[in-house]
Amino acid sequence: MQYYYGSQMPLRVLDEAEFWKHQEEEHTVVIRELVGSLEQKYVKALKEWEKEFAKAHHRVIRYIETVNRSKGQVSQALYQDIMQLISFCLQQSEQFINFCRTIMEESEPISANPTAKVVLNHIIVESEYFIGVAQTILYQQ
């Protein structure tokens, strides 16, 4: 986590979202690379997840830049837009966790690969961590 925001939220929660959306984007590649025989429908879905995480990541970066340019004077409208984006990011992470659980249950190559199961569980834990950290930041206000 970067510390250019001091104690101010929304930069703090945006910083977390920026880091974790990028991580989740990379996790889609890790899963595809680790399980070379993964069913095509899951490969396709993971590529779509990768694109969606990249979009969210770029949206978060744009908001960080906007807040930095505002020099701490965040309007109510901007604040609401940021909260909507963070809410979207949290929902996206929840959906990705559910997707990861689904492929762990339904994919034959993953079921037969103990390393893949460990990695997927780790990926799930990391997305859950992001959700927990972001919610903690939001509720500390």
Side-chain angles (χ1 to χ4, degrees), residues 7 57 76-77 86 103 114 119:
S7 63
H57 181 246
Q76 189 61 32
I86 296 303
I103 63 173
V119 170

Side-chain angles (χ1 to χ4, degrees), residues 62-114:
R62 284 195 308 270
Y63 275 98
I64 289 170
E65 292 167 349
T66 299
V67 171
N68 279 330
R69 280 192 305 271
S70 76
K71 295 181 172 58
Q73 302 299 317
V74 176
S75 69
Q76 189 61 32
L78 177 57
Y79 183 85
Q80 289 303 317
D81 289 346
I82 291 167
M83 291 303 101
Q84 287 178 343
L85 175 59
I86 296 303
S87 176
F88 169 80
C89 288
L90 295 174
Q91 290 171 0
Q92 185 184 50
S93 293
E94 285 283 354
Q95 292 168 353
F96 184 61
I97 289 167
N98 291 336
F99 172 77
C100 288
R101 288 185 175 134
T102 297
I103 63 173
M104 281 178 51
E105 293 170 6
E106 296 179 1
S107 171
E108 188 62 38
I110 290 175
S111 297
N113 185 333

Side-chain angles (χ1 to χ4, degrees), residues 29-45:
V29 176
V30 168
I31 296 167
R32 291 194 322 261
E33 294 294 321
L34 180 63
V35 188
S37 59
L38 189 62
E39 294 91 343
Q40 194 57 40
K41 67 179 182 178
Y42 296 128
V43 170
K44 183 179 175 183

